[in-house]
Amino acid sequence: MRATLLVLLLAGGPLAHAQSYTGPIIDVHLHVGKAAPGAPNPATGQPTSANTDADRQRLTLEQMQRHRVVLGLVSGPDEAMASMRAAGGEKIWAGAFLDDGATPLPPPDVLRTAFESGDLKVLGEIGAQYHGLDPSDAWFEPYLALAEEFDVPVGIHTGLAPPGAAYGCCPEFSIGLGNPARLEPMLKRHPKLRVWLMHAGWPYLQETKAILYMYPQVYADVAVIDWIIPRAEFHQYLEALMTAGLGDRLMFGSDQMVWPEAIGQAVEGVDSAPFLDAAQKRAIFHDNAARFLRLEPRQ
Ligand SMILES: [Zn+2]
């Protein structure tokens, strides 16, 4: 092992890939809401570091700060969202949320007002899959029309959910409705929409490649899969998307829910990918999202 390291050091090249990323990060996938005291972290089994609602918010902001997260796209219930915006200021962009629970998306006229005022800057996370809904069906059309009109980015949950979701929160949950290929009809109808696949469609690798390749305006985040699924599986998936030439449309996300420490776990998940060089890490952690969100350079 040591001899190999020395050779690499002398060669000078491959070690550049192993350098930790130290620049700014945009987390396009965060949530606010009630704490779940004691809930075991799905990756470590350790109880969550947030035992109260206030802790969940405070520790999330602390973790953002610690990991240089300069902007977070956040969704959650109205009250928690308002509190997070008050505490986080410009670092927080609020999204309209269709969660895995009983709260519906606000009606389009309410969203119109929120997009107009800037209270909401994102349509998402849209967890249609949890509700047995197809994102290309008629129910979503008025929302997509609004997003197009206000040029608001649209984040759609794809791929996985907590194991057993269909027996717990979400009897309407369907694996097939998380297939990114389901987005094709709506992408055809709305070519100007700024859409991203949340969770990068995992485990639908082929369909994710197909959608990203054929619809070059579409981006994807690697939230949750960068810390919850086995690390080797995540790296294999990420590498497959990179070798497919899609590295300029992948964005960092944590999907921090009730475990503030997940932000660090997610950062580590991407940062530890041995096949990413410094420029590719910078693109995934920051630059791709900055382009997708059309941030001004000062932001
Ligand atoms: Zn999700």
Side-chain angles (χ1 to χ4, degrees):
M1 213 47 195
R2 208 161 264 204
T4 314
L5 187 64
L6 186 64
V7 169
L8 290 176
L9 272 170
L10 292 172
L15 269 194
H17 293 211
Q19 270 171 13
S20 270
Y21 178 72
T22 55
I25 291 178
I26 296 172
D27 186 339
V28 300
H29 196 142
L30 286 159
H31 295 293
V32 290
K34 296 256 168 242
N41 182 298
T44 66
Q46 297 300 307
T48 175
S49 55
N51 287 312
T52 65
D53 300 354
D55 270 359
R56 176 175 167 178
Q57 175 180 296
R58 179 179 57 80
L59 293 171
T60 298
L61 287 165
E62 273 183 29
Q63 289 290 325
M64 288 174 69
Q65 181 79 24
R66 178 175 309 169
H67 296 285
R68 307 171 311 281
V69 176
V70 294
L71 175 65
L73 272 52
V74 184
S75 57
D78 289 348
E79 201 179 317
M81 200 61 256
S83 170
M84 183 57 135
R85 283 184 64 205
E90 296 280 295
K91 285 172 77 167
I92 302 296
W93 280 18
F97 192 32
L98 178 60
D99 69 357
D100 57 359
T103 314
L105 259 182
D109 58 319
V110 173
L111 283 191
R112 168 177 290 280
T113 309
F115 289 147
E116 265 166 2
S117 68
D119 281 343
L120 293 179
K121 294 185 189 307
V122 180
L123 180 60
E125 179 171 18
I126 300 299
Q129 183 184 17
Y130 289 103
H131 300 270
L133 294 171
D134 187 321
S136 282
D137 276 355
W139 70 275
F140 204 27
E141 273 305 303
Y143 294 99
L144 294 176
L146 260 188
E148 204 164 45
E149 180 183 338
F150 286 92
D151 193 23
V152 161
V154 184
I156 300 180
H157 172 99
T158 58
L160 76 169
Y167 302 122
C169 67
C170 313
E172 303 302 320
F173 179 87
S174 144
I175 288 173
L177 288 171
N179 188 329
R182 293 273 185 166
L183 301 186
E184 187 171 32
M186 68 95 135
L187 291 172
K188 284 184 174 174
R189 286 195 298 267
H190 299 278
K192 290 194 195 114
L193 266 186
R194 285 193 280 158
V195 177
W196 89 97
L197 309 177
M198 295 177 136
H199 317 296
W202 186 88
Y204 289 105
L205 176 60
Q206 302 307 320
E207 290 86 345
T208 299
K209 281 187 194 172
I211 288 287
L212 291 176
Y213 189 85
M214 291 310 301
Y215 296 89
Q217 78 279 20
V218 177
Y219 281 60
D221 78 41
V222 294
V224 110
I225 61 174
D226 49 15
W227 65 282
I228 279 191
I229 66 172
R231 184 58 45 87
E233 167 67 14
F234 170 58
H235 282 175
Q236 204 173 49
Y237 196 80
L238 179 60
E239 189 167 23
L241 295 173
M242 296 299 297
T243 55
L246 303 168
D248 60 350
R249 280 182 284 142
L250 302 177
M251 304 187 288
F252 173 77
S254 62
D255 200 1
Q256 186 328 69
M257 295 167 266
V258 299
W259 303 280
E261 68 277 10
I263 293 171
Q265 293 173 276
V267 169
E268 210 261 328
V270 173
D271 202 29
S272 62
F275 47 86
L276 293 178
D277 65 25
Q280 290 167 327
K281 284 186 187 178
R282 166 124 195 147
I284 293 171
F285 275 122
H286 181 273
D287 292 356
N288 293 342
R291 186 185 328 112
F292 180 68
L293 300 172
R294 302 202 190 114
L295 300 186
E296 302 294 325
R298 63 179 176 82
Q299 286 174 283

